[in-house]
Amino acid sequence: MDTQSLQAFLAVAESGSFSRAAEQLHLTQPAVSKRIAALEAQIGARLFDRIGRSIGLTEAGRVLLPRARQILVMVDDSRRALGNLSHDVAGSLTLATSHHIGLHRLPPLLKAYTRAHPGVRLDLHFLDSEEAYQGVLDGELEIAVVTLAPHPDPQLEVVPIWVDRLCFVCAPDHPLAALPHPSLQALCAHDAVLPGPHTFTRGLIEARFAAAGLRLPVALSTNYLETLKMMVAIGLGWSLLPERLVAGELHELAIDHPPIHRPLGYLVHRSRTLSNAARAMLAALEQAREPAAKTAAG
C-alpha cells in the first residue's frame, strides 16, 4: 500500500465526499478516485459503498481505517526521526491551540519563536481544547496548547504552563452586583451563561457547584469566551471568565467561596517522535512557564 492511496482513503472516509477529499489533497476528483481504486485492487475488496450521493465505509473500509491512520503516523514519525539527524530546526510544525490561548497567551511566544526559527513553517489550528486533545491522541497534531483535561489520557504527556483564575462576573447593573459577598446559592437564583456542556472548563465549574449540592441554571452556552464576555456585558446572565478578560465593563463578584482555577498547557503523545521544530517549541513553552503552574504540576 502506498501512502498516497492511504491518504486519499482517509480523506474520503473523514469528509464523506470524493470532491471534498480532492479539495483537501489539492487533487482532481478523478485522481482521488484512481487512488481509491488502486487501493481496492491491492486489498481485493471495496472500501466504500456509493448509494446515490451518500458515501459510507464498507466492512473492509471500517477495518482498514484505524490501520491506515497508524501506518501514516508511523511514516510521519520515521520522517521526523530521520530529519532530526540534521539537528536543523526547520520543516512543518502542526500545532493546535484554543481561541482564548491563541489570542491572549501565545502571541508573544509565537512571535519570538518564528523569528528565532525562520525555517519552520507553522501549521496553526484554532480548535476547541477537547478537539485538539483528541487530535494529539489520533496522531493528527504534533502539539496542542490548550485547557488541560482534569484526568488526561496516560498516552499523553501533559505539562501545565499557565493557570487561569476564573472570575465570577456580571454586568454592573445586574441584581447580583448589589450583593457584597453573594453565595453560590444566590448565583443559582439567576441565569448563567457558560462554556459548552462538554468542555473541560464547564466540567470544572459544574463540579464545584455539584459539590455544594447545587445545579447550575444555564441559559446560554458557547465555547468562545469573548462571546460569553459580550453576553455578560449586555445582561444576559452571570458567568466565569479568565482574569485577563475581566475589564471595566464587567463587575467582578466577590463570591463567598474559594476561587476556581483551570490549568493551561501543552500536550504531546508519549509514543511520537517529536521533530526538532516541536522540541524547540516545547523549550519556548517551558521558558514561559509560570511558577503557579509548576506548583500545580508538582
Side-chain angles (χ1 to χ4, degrees):
M1 298 182 194
D2 68 275
T3 57
Q4 290 184 337
S5 293
L6 289 175
Q7 287 172 341
F9 166 68
L10 279 182
V12 175
E14 292 171 352
S15 67
S17 165
F18 277 75
S19 59
R20 285 196 292 270
E23 290 176 5
Q24 291 173 15
L25 298 172
H26 305 290
L27 297 170
T28 63
Q29 188 170 331
V32 171
S33 298
K34 185 176 180 180
R35 291 184 182 184
I36 298 298
L39 188 56
E40 290 176 330
Q42 281 185 309
I43 65 174
R46 289 180 65 84
L47 295 171
F48 296 100
D49 284 326
R50 303 163 180 84
I51 303 173
R53 293 187 176 182
S54 64
I55 296 171
L57 287 168
T58 62
E59 183 178 358
R62 289 192 293 271
V63 170
L64 179 60
L65 185 60
R67 291 166 174 78
R69 288 195 178 108
Q70 290 171 0
I71 291 169
L72 291 176
V73 167
M74 288 175 63
V75 169
D76 284 344
D77 196 63
S78 299
R79 286 172 178 162
R80 279 190 297 273
L82 293 170
N84 287 350
L85 295 177
S86 70
H87 303 294
D88 291 336
V89 180
S92 179
L93 172 60
T94 306
L95 181 146
T97 187
S98 65
H99 289 82
H100 176 71
I101 296 174
L103 289 173
H104 298 280
R105 296 283 190 175
L106 278 185
L109 187 149
L110 292 180
K111 182 178 181 180
Y113 178 88
T114 53
R115 286 185 173 180
H117 308 292
V120 175
R121 183 179 66 82
L122 197 59
D123 184 12
L124 186 62
H125 299 251
F126 284 89
L127 302 172
D128 288 343
S129 294
E130 299 71 27
E131 187 180 355
Y133 182 99
Q134 191 60 48
V136 174
L137 271 176
D138 292 341
E140 297 169 359
L141 302 169
E142 199 165 359
I143 304 174
V145 185
V146 292
T147 301
L148 301 182
H151 305 290
D153 191 292
Q155 298 178 82
L156 300 178
E157 180 183 356
V158 177
V159 180
I161 299 297
W162 309 282
V163 176
D164 264 351
R165 179 174 73 89
L166 297 178
C167 304
F168 290 86
V169 292
C170 66
D173 57 353
H174 191 281
L176 285 170
L179 302 179
H181 295 285
S183 63
L184 295 184
Q185 189 170 4
L187 291 181
C188 290
H190 301 271
D191 285 343
V193 291
L194 295 174
H198 303 298
T199 61
F200 299 144
T201 301
R202 175 73 167 268
L204 286 173
I205 298 168
E206 286 182 339
R208 182 62 62 89
F209 278 77
L214 299 170
R215 186 174 179 180
L216 284 164
V218 182
L220 296 166
S221 295
T222 177
N223 293 353
Y224 297 100
L225 299 185
E226 283 74 12
T227 304
L228 282 179
K229 178 179 177 180
M230 177 274 293
M231 290 178 173
V232 173
I234 64 175
L236 296 183
W238 60 269
S239 189
L240 286 101
L241 293 174
E243 195 169 8
R244 286 172 173 244
L245 280 186
V246 178
E249 66 267 30
L250 300 182
H251 174 81
E252 183 177 352
L253 296 163
I255 299 297
D256 187 17
H257 201 78
I260 297 176
H261 295 93
R262 65 171 189 169
L264 313 175
Y266 71 79
L267 44 114
V268 294
H269 204 293
R270 294 184 185 276
S271 300
R272 182 167 189 159
T273 300
L274 295 176
S275 64
N276 290 336
R279 293 178 187 278
M281 176 60 73
L282 297 191
L285 286 164
E286 289 288 352
Q287 288 183 347
R289 199 173 184 194
E290 294 177 344
K294 296 178 182 178
T295 302

